């Protein structure tokens, strides 16, 4: 029987065989590994280390795809009624003083999914449904929510302190664990070349063998880095500009440091012999908690309404965030205000029509599109006897539904779509578009539905598509907002709201990713040539990242777009499509290299989402052919909060300069880096002479032995970390990156009612290595842990072309940076080309609250005002496993100049500057510095304290690789 690409992959039985038992981390990572979806911090299951392949040997040409049967395929034009589904809606203004109750429950296991069509049950949910209810609150309103934690006890013991990645032990350590547990060694399928066991162990059983410490999950007071306490929860209102921590009367606002414990945890603590557990921590609450998100604020005596926009809510308890959001615990949070009223009146003549009902001469309505692509299985490590049961979330879902819904429109009808990318993992970045025609997913490909004949004699068949076919099928879209903020454009020094005609963005250009195979060329080689071509130079990067009639959405990004059914489109079908954006990671390039090298490798599922279908039928709308861009004239003025941040706002006045001890007129700036690699990606690192002898207590925890060589072991929580002090102009040799700790004094402290310019560097770096150990001996290397080097993409690609066994062995990813409370006026997104030179791919500055930091030394420049609220909040990576592992940091807004810690500068960046000019202001890291930062961290938490690895790393010399001086500044 053929298998639909939307079904669980055929190697599911093998995943169950692996038992998924080490920890929540190990289980989640194994789920990803065994489906062949590598990403940073996640094992990528490929074949064992390949034998040497002569450079001239090419993999055999692939056969043309076998055309699948049409099967039970929905006909959007023949469907009598719409099947589009959206979550139910809560309006606080209709329930004065009432609270929205969000009950966090464990779903039946096994049992039906709360989201129709999902292949297996989600782990947890709000009130038994996924996504949660939609909230529509007015811009001057108050959202009151009661969150009840109805989950059971956190039963699993949790590792504290140093510990190795349990899936990436050296063969000797693995054998020791197997022997101690009385389990035979087996070939596990994890990328190791040797026989070993993968026992269904829990951390305490592992650590009993190799050393280390665990604590009961219910006993953990506060935060720990790594997945833990899966049954602790809280609430975050993503995108809202509201008070952090508490309101003036002490009620709880948007505070992600709060932890709502299950009642069973508290009962266990009270029964404990440890008297310290008989009191709750400062941010801990039992069973339930009330929140009040008060929109609007008073500034200089003037009442300000919250700007309207499309936002969302989800849990944010550190250590449990991924599992809970990946389970579908999230929902739309829509703030309605003057922009919505203006658009509604222009389209319908009414201020507040029912948003889900077609109204007025253009059949105008809104639709909500919650897209979630969660591939790493959520896994409850704290479920006691049920902890080893597999929970596999959907490959994709739109509004919690796996099957694409059907919507009907008349020719000329206009709709507003609020699109949310709720994906939680490293392959979740999407390119949102609408395609003319009907497209479906089958057998790992996208197919076009071709109808031949008409009426009862009509037949349908599937036709394979190319990347260029998808590009050619896109139709017009108009953008109203991004990340819940109505677009702002500047002209002649004046800021105004305006729509964006997406058909004009790089119109008529060729996407380098769309090239087709030449005659006789293997498809894998053609695809590799395409992905390499995207990074050729600045022009190629612009054409790859910015395409006409689409919106690039990283995890947590939102966009409001308007779609008009063409006036002459009666009888036509359109497909709403969210295509994976392959250029945001190095995953695809590495996979293609492996397939070219040995012709093997697991089938990679489609990470594309067919969101829905539109059937256009009936007579044209009464309003005629509406000009959507004319809505720009109806939009209200830009409020003060959303005026572009000007350079003058960055400058320090005399009084502040005296108190802060900085030059008058200098600009407030700071530089932050995001770094880290993980599990299978971790390079082989022999210990320096004398380290093993000096630290015998760390044997099998931080280092192990392979073939007589002491080597560094990959850390259990990977190396995901943040360096808040990465200003190379101030400190050419920066300190180590840091994992999350609440109220870390090394974090960023901004002065109230000021603005700053921030620069973010992505030091998650691409590394290359020889993989033929016979030709290139590597003492201490094992499995997929090779002596890897950070070199330029161009140099690595050249060497791969000469000898395909020299390839990518450690990948990078663009980390989606999200900061709470205050939005960012983003000036630049500088992406490195194959030579390491940076190019700004952002066509014009815009407001965002989540922005991807380009890997391999890429850079983001933004400005932000820190107005209205004193307090503590966070920024973090919105790949939520990375956040749980420690890629999060607190920031504080203070009201005394002497408490701020920005760096003063004479010059600042701008959108129109050459990248080299920005380099002079904010020096870039060298490849060697990125290598070192990428594999090191400090975990400052008391229970997890560690300086990893504890010695200075040195990047290996792999022979003929040429260093690129273009990335060596600083």
């Amino acid at each position: 029987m053929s298998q639909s690409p939307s079904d669980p992959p055929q190697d599911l039985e093998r995943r169950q065989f692996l038992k998924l038992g080490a920890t929540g981390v190990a289980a989640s990572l194994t789920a990803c590994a065994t489906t062949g979806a590598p990403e940073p911090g996640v094992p990528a299951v490929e074949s064992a280390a390949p034998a040497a392949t002569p450079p001239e040997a090419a993999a055999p040409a692939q056969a043309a795809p076998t055309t699948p049967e049409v099967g039970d395929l929905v006909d959007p034009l023949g469907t009598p009624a719409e099947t589009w589904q959206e979550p139910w809606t809560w309006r606080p203004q209709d329930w004065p003083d009432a609270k929205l109750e969000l009950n966090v429950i464990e779903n039946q296991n096994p049992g039906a999914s709360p989201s129709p069509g999902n292949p297996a049950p989600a782990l947890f949910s709000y009130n038994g449904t996924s996504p949660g209810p939609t909230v529509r609150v007015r811009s001057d309103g108050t959202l009151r929510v009661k969150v009840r934690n109805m989950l059971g006890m956190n039963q699993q013991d949790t590792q504290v302190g140093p510990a190795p990645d349990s899936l990436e032990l050296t063969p000797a350590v693995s054998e020791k664990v197997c022997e101690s547990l009385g389990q035979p060694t087996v070939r596990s399928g994890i990328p190791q070349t040797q026989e070993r066991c993968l026992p269904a162990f829990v951390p305490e059983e592992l650590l009993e063998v190799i050393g280390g410490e665990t604590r009961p999950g219910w006993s953990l007071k506060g935060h720990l880095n790594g997945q833990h306490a899966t049954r602790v929860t809280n609430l975050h209102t993503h995108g809202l500009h509201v008070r952090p921590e508490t309101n003036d009367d002490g009620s709880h606002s948007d505070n992600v440091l709060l932890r709502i414990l299950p009642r069973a945890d508290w009962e266990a603590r009270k029964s404990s012999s440890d008297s310290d557990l008989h009191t709750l921590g400062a941010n801990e609450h039992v069973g339930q908690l009330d929140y009040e998100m008060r929109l609007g604020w008073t500034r200089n005596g003037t009442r300000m309404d919250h700007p309207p926009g499309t936002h969302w809510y989800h849990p944010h308890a550190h250590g449990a965030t991924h599992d809970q959001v990946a389970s579908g615990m999230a929902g739309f949070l829509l703030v309605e205000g003057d922009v919505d009223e203006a658009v509604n009146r222009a389209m319908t003549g009414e201020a507040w029509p029912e948003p889900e009902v077609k109204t007025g001469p253009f059949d105008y309505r809104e639709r909500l599109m919650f897209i979630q692509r969660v591939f790493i299985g959520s896994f409850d490590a704290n479920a006691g006897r049920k902890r080893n049961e597999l929970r596999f979330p959907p490959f994709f879902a739109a509004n919690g539904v796996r099957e694409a819904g059907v919507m009907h429109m008349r020719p000329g009808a206009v709709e507003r779509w609020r699109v949310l990318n709720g994906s939680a993992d490293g392959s979740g970045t999407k390119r949102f578009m609408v395609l003319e025609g009907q497209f479906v997913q089958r057998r790992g490909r996208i197919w076009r539905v071709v109808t031949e004949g008409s009426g009862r004699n009509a037949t349908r068949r599937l036709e394979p598509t190319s990347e260029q076919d998808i590009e050619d099928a896109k139709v017009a879209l108009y953008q109203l907002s991004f990340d819940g903020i109505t677009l702002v454009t500047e002209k002649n020094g004046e800021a105004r709201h305006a729509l964006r005609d997406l058909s004009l963005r790089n119109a008529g250009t060729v996407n380098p990713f769309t090239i087709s195979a030449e005659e006789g060329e293997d498809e894998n080689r053609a695809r590799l040539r395409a992905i390499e071509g995207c990074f050729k130079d600045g022009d190629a990067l612009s054409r790859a990242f910015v395409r006409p009639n689409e919106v690039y959405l990283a995890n947590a990004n939102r966009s409001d777009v308007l779609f008009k059914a063409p006036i002459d489109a009666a009888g036509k079908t359109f497909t709403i499509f969210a295509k994976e954006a392959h250029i945001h990671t190095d995953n695809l390039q590495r996979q293609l290299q492996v397939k070219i090298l040995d012709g093997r490798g697991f089938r990679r599922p489609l990470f594309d989402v067919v969101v829905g279908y539109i059937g256009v039928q009936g007579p044209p709308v009464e309003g005629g052919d509406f000009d959507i861009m004319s809505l720009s004239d109806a939009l209200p003025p830009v409020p003060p909060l959303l005026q572009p941040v000007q350079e003058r706002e960055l400058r320090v006045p005399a009084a502040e300069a005296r108190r802060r001890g900085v030059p008058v007129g200098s600009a407030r700036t700071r530089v932050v880096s995001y770094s880290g690699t993980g599990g299978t990606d971790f390079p082989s690192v022999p210990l320096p002479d004398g380290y093993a002898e000096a630290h015998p207590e760390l044997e099998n925890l931080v280092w192990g032995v392979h073939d007589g060589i002491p080597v560094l072991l990959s850390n259990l929580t990977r190396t995901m970390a943040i360096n808040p002090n990465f200003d190379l102009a101030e400190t050419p040799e920066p300190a180590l990156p840091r994992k999350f700790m609440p109220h870390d004094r090394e974090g960023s402290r901004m002065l109230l009612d000021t603005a700053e310019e921030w620069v973010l560097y992505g030091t998650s770096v691409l590394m290359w290595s020889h993989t033929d150990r016979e030709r290139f001996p590597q003492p201490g290397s094992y499995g997929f842990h090779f002596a890897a080097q950070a070199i330029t993409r161009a140099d690595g690609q050249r060497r791969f072309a000469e000898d395909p066994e020299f390839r990518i062995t450690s990948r990078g990813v663009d980390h989606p940076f999200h900061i709470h409370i205050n939005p960012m006026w983003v000036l630049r997104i500088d992406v490195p080309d194959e030579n390491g030179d940076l190019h700004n791919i952002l066509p014009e500055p815009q407001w965002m609250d989540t922005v991807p930091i380009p890997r391999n030394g890429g850079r983001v420049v933004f400005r932000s005002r820190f107005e209205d609220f004193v307090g503590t909040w966070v920024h973090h990576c919105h790949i939520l496993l990375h956040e749980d592992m420690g890629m999060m940091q607190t920031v504080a807004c203070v009201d005394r100049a002497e408490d701020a810690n920005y760096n003063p500068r004479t010059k600042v960046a701008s959108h129109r500057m050459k990248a080299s000019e920005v380099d002079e202001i904010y020096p870039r890291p060298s490849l060697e510095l990125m290598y070192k930062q990428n594999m090191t961290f400090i975990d400052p938490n008391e229970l997890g304290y560690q300086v990893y690895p504890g010695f200075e790393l040195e990047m290996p010399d792999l022979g003929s690789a040429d260093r690129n001086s273009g990335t060596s500044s600083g």
Side-chain angles (χ1 to χ4, degrees):
M1 185 175 74
S2 64
Q3 182 186 46
S4 168
S6 59
D7 294 333
Q10 295 172 347
D11 60 352
L12 180 59
E13 291 183 2
R14 183 162 62 83
R15 280 198 305 278
Q16 292 172 326
F17 166 71
L18 295 180
K19 298 296 187 183
L20 305 180
T23 62
V25 175
S28 295
L29 298 182
T30 305
C32 182
T34 52
T35 49
E39 61 189 71
V42 178
V45 173
E46 298 162 345
S47 54
T53 302
E56 65 275 9
Q62 295 183 347
T66 303
T67 303
E69 298 295 328
V70 172
D72 187 17
L73 183 64
V74 65
D75 179 4
L77 293 170
T79 304
E82 290 194 356
T83 61
W84 180 256
Q85 298 183 45
E86 295 183 9
W88 64 278
T89 299
W90 163 268
R91 292 179 172 84
Q93 55 269 26
D94 293 343
W95 296 85
D97 301 321
K99 297 181 178 69
L100 171 64
E101 297 187 357
L102 296 177
N103 297 318
V104 181
I105 66 169
E106 178 185 5
N107 296 317
Q108 181 71 20
N109 183 17
S113 168
S115 301
N118 287 0
L123 189 62
F124 309 127
S125 68
Y126 288 128
N127 306 333
T129 63
S130 299
T134 294
V135 175
R136 286 182 177 268
V137 60
R138 292 292 167 85
S139 58
D140 59 351
T142 298
L143 171 61
R144 299 177 176 88
V145 181
K146 179 183 288 293
V147 178
R148 289 195 183 94
N149 187 344
M150 306 181 76
L151 303 175
M153 180 190 294
N154 283 293
Q155 298 186 39
Q156 176 81 355
D157 279 6
T158 301
Q159 164 266 327
V160 297
D165 179 348
S166 54
L167 294 180
E168 295 300 326
L169 304 172
T170 65
V173 178
S174 180
E175 183 177 349
K176 178 180 179 180
V177 174
C178 294
E179 289 177 352
S180 299
L181 298 179
Q183 297 195 27
T185 58
V186 297
R187 185 172 294 279
S188 68
I190 299 300
Q192 305 272 11
T193 59
Q194 68 286 324
E195 299 285 337
R196 69 167 196 172
C197 78
L198 184 66
F201 52 69
V202 290
E204 66 271 23
E205 293 167 334
L206 169 66
L207 296 179
E208 284 175 4
V209 178
I210 64 175
E213 181 186 0
T214 65
R215 300 280 181 90
W218 51 263
S219 72
L220 297 174
K221 292 181 72 171
H223 303 267
L224 190 70
N225 290 311
Q227 284 185 293
H228 67 284
T230 313
R231 296 170 168 238
V232 172
T233 194
N234 62 15
L235 183 68
H236 168 48
T237 51
H238 184 126
L240 291 193
H241 180 66
V242 294
R243 283 193 179 276
E245 302 182 292
T246 59
N247 298 307
D248 291 338
D249 61 0
S251 58
H252 295 290
S253 187
D254 189 16
N255 183 357
V256 300
L257 301 183
L258 295 173
R259 297 173 67 79
I260 308 174
L261 309 179
R263 291 188 179 277
D265 279 17
W266 179 231
E267 295 303 318
R269 288 193 192 180
K270 290 189 296 183
S271 301
S272 169
S273 60
D274 185 350
S275 60
D276 182 59
L277 296 179
H278 297 171
T279 58
L280 293 171
N283 286 309
E284 292 186 326
H285 301 265
V286 178
Q288 63 184 27
L289 194 64
D290 292 335
Y291 290 85
E292 284 199 12
M293 312 300 179
R294 299 173 181 176
L295 280 65
W297 57 91
T298 299
R299 183 185 301 161
N300 298 325
T302 302
R303 176 68 183 178
M304 303 281 184
D305 286 347
H306 195 291
T310 300
H311 306 296
W312 60 310
Y313 64 88
H314 60 78
H316 209 300
H318 186 58
T321 309
H322 167 82
D323 279 351
Q324 293 183 9
V325 177
S327 292
M329 285 179 60
F332 277 99
L333 201 175
L334 311 180
V335 179
E336 298 179 317
D338 55 359
V339 171
D340 308 288
E341 183 175 2
V343 173
N344 290 341
R345 287 191 183 280
M347 298 306 303
T348 70
E350 300 179 30
W352 301 109
E354 178 59 46
E356 297 179 9
V357 176
K358 297 176 181 179
T359 305
F362 304 103
D363 282 4
Y364 179 76
R365 63 158 293 179
E366 293 185 12
R367 295 189 196 264
L368 309 182
M369 300 179 182
F370 185 113
I371 300 168
Q372 190 172 45
R373 210 297 307 185
V374 179
F375 190 61
I376 305 171
S378 54
F379 182 86
D380 185 3
N382 294 286
R385 293 186 301 273
K386 295 189 291 185
R387 67 186 173 206
N388 286 333
E389 291 193 23
L390 176 68
R391 295 193 185 252
F392 200 75
F395 289 153
F396 57 84
N399 294 341
V401 181
R402 185 160 58 107
E403 299 300 326
V406 173
M407 53 194 75
H408 291 156
M409 296 179 69
R410 289 196 290 165
V414 177
E415 295 189 351
R416 175 182 179 177
W417 299 341
R418 299 179 184 259
V419 184
L420 159 62
N421 184 5
S423 297
D425 69 306
S427 294
T429 300
K430 295 285 174 281
R431 297 163 49 204
F432 182 85
M433 61 190 72
V434 179
L435 308 177
E436 182 173 342
Q438 185 175 9
F439 293 79
V440 298
Q441 297 173 327
R442 294 284 191 274
R443 297 181 184 174
R445 290 178 176 268
I446 300 297
W447 306 77
R448 188 199 307 268
V449 180
V450 178
T451 301
E452 297 174 336
S454 60
R456 294 183 177 181
N457 295 322
T459 60
R460 295 195 294 172
R461 61 179 175 83
L462 301 182
E463 179 178 273
T465 61
S466 66
E467 293 287 341
Q468 188 60 51
D469 291 334
I470 299 295
E471 191 84 12
D472 294 341
K474 292 188 297 183
V475 298
L477 278 178
Y478 302 87
Q479 188 177 23
L480 176 64
S481 74
F482 195 86
D483 279 355
I485 303 169
T486 307
L487 297 178
V488 174
T489 185
E490 286 186 284
K491 189 173 183 179
N492 298 326
E494 180 184 0
R496 59 188 298 267
H497 287 314
L499 274 74
R500 180 178 293 154
D501 183 348
L502 294 178
S503 68
L504 303 179
R505 292 204 136 180
N506 270 338
T509 64
V510 175
N511 185 348
F513 191 72
T514 63
I515 66 169
S516 301
E518 297 174 353
E519 185 175 354
E521 184 181 23
D522 171 65
E523 182 184 10
N524 288 325
R525 289 187 177 275
R527 295 191 74 199
L528 181 61
R529 188 161 53 87
I531 193 74
E532 291 176 351
C534 294
F535 297 90
K536 191 68 177 174
D537 52 32
D539 177 65
L541 285 168
S542 174
R543 289 185 286 114
F545 276 92
V546 183
R547 301 304 309 151
N549 288 321
E550 66 177 57
V551 183
Y552 189 93
L553 298 173
N555 293 6
N557 282 149
R558 294 90 65 207
S559 185
D560 286 23
V561 297
L562 288 103
F563 174 75
K564 180 179 68 175
I567 199 72
D568 57 353
K572 290 185 177 181
T573 293
F574 297 85
T575 301
I576 307 170
F577 193 45
K579 193 178 191 308
E580 182 185 3
H582 294 283
I583 52 180
H584 69 291
T585 75
D586 300 313
N587 293 345
L588 181 59
Q589 186 169 0
R590 173 171 138 164
Q591 284 186 324
L592 292 169
Q593 288 178 349
V594 171
K595 289 184 178 182
I596 289 170
L597 177 59
D598 65 1
R600 293 179 289 175
F602 283 90
R603 175 182 64 83
R604 188 180 192 274
L606 279 178
F607 298 157
D608 303 327
V609 182
V610 176
V611 179
Y613 294 119
I614 305 168
V616 180
Q617 51 193 344
V621 294
E622 289 77 7
D625 195 1
F626 181 71
D627 177 10
I628 290 181
M629 289 300 294
S630 67
L631 281 174
S632 293
D633 298 330
L635 297 177
V638 179
L641 180 71
L642 300 180
Q643 292 285 331
V645 182
Q646 304 296 334
E647 181 177 332
R648 65 177 180 274
E649 300 178 63
L650 308 176
R651 299 295 173 180
V652 179
E656 179 186 336
R658 286 193 301 271
R659 296 177 64 185
R660 178 75 173 81
V662 300
V664 175
S666 59
R668 307 178 197 90
T669 71
R670 66 181 72 240
V671 185
V672 176
S673 71
Y674 273 48
S675 60
T677 191
T680 301
D681 275 338
F682 200 84
S684 172
V685 180
L687 300 187
D689 292 341
Y691 184 83
E693 291 79 7
H695 296 282
E697 77 281 3
L698 297 180
E699 185 175 7
N700 300 330
L701 290 173
V702 175
W703 62 271
V705 175
H706 178 64
D707 288 341
I709 305 294
V711 295
L712 184 63
L713 297 177
S714 175
N715 185 268
L716 179 63
T717 61
R718 312 317 190 260
T719 57
M720 305 303 169
I722 297 171
N723 196 329
N725 301 300
F726 199 68
D727 195 330
L728 302 183
E730 294 284 328
T731 310
E733 293 294 331
L736 298 184
R738 302 173 69 83
K739 287 185 177 290
F740 174 69
M741 182 179 74
H743 307 291
D744 189 347
R745 290 296 297 173
E746 294 296 318
S748 304
R749 299 190 300 278
M750 302 81 65
L751 181 61
L752 180 68
D753 289 333
T754 66
E756 294 186 359
E757 180 165 282
W758 287 39
V759 172
L760 312 174
Y761 275 111
T763 56
S764 288
V765 65
L766 179 64
M767 288 185 264
W768 302 70
S769 178
H770 298 288
T771 53
D772 185 339
R773 293 185 176 92
E774 292 185 5
R775 294 170 57 201
F776 299 94
Q778 299 181 22
S781 71
Y782 62 97
F784 273 149
H785 301 280
F786 300 99
Q789 185 186 54
I791 59 178
T792 65
R793 190 183 296 273
D795 192 31
Q797 290 168 175
R798 175 184 59 79
R799 297 184 66 180
F800 174 81
E802 295 170 354
D803 185 355
E805 69 81 34
F806 184 88
R807 59 184 177 87
I808 296 170
T809 53
S810 295
R811 297 146 296 164
V813 66
D814 296 352
H815 293 287
F817 170 93
H818 170 52
I819 190 166
H820 293 197
I821 306 301
N822 293 287
M824 305 172 283
W825 180 244
V826 181
L827 297 177
R828 307 180 63 92
I829 302 177
D830 290 332
V831 181
D833 64 19
E834 63 177 22
N835 295 308
D837 298 322
L838 295 186
H839 304 272
N840 184 14
I841 55 98
L842 189 67
E844 60 185 292
Q846 71 176 44
W847 287 106
M848 306 170 73
D849 67 36
T850 305
V851 59
I853 312 174
R855 61 202 183 279
N856 300 320
R859 177 175 59 207
V860 169
V861 181
F862 72 83
R863 296 173 182 172
S864 187
R865 298 185 183 94
F866 300 97
E867 299 179 310
D868 305 312
F869 309 124
V870 170
T872 300
W873 55 92
V874 298
H875 63 79
H876 63 90
C877 176
H878 228 284
I879 298 173
L880 295 180
L881 269 179
H882 293 184
E883 182 270 314
D884 284 335
M885 292 173 185
M887 192 172 265
M888 180 164 73
Q889 212 152 60
T890 55
V891 298
C893 190
V894 298
D895 55 8
R896 300 196 321 156
E898 51 267 40
D899 292 334
N901 64 354
Y902 56 79
N903 283 341
R905 252 183 181 77
T906 303
K907 294 182 63 177
V908 291
S910 72
H911 174 72
R912 295 187 179 276
M913 272 185 178
K914 295 179 180 178
S916 58
E917 295 176 288
V918 183
D919 297 347
E920 294 176 0
I921 303 171
Y922 299 103
R924 296 171 54 196
S926 66
L927 288 167
E928 183 136 5
L929 177 57
M930 288 191 286
Y931 173 90
K932 294 177 180 181
Q933 292 274 307
N934 203 43
M935 297 158 58
T936 60
F937 65 82
I938 295 175
D939 187 343
N941 280 281
E942 180 181 354
L943 287 181
Y945 186 83
Q946 185 179 7
V947 178
Y948 180 87
F951 56 86
E952 182 76 9
L953 291 173
E954 295 294 335
M955 187 165 67
D957 185 354
L958 302 185
S960 62
D962 297 325
R963 300 294 179 88
N964 177 16
S965 60
T967 60
S968 60
S969 59

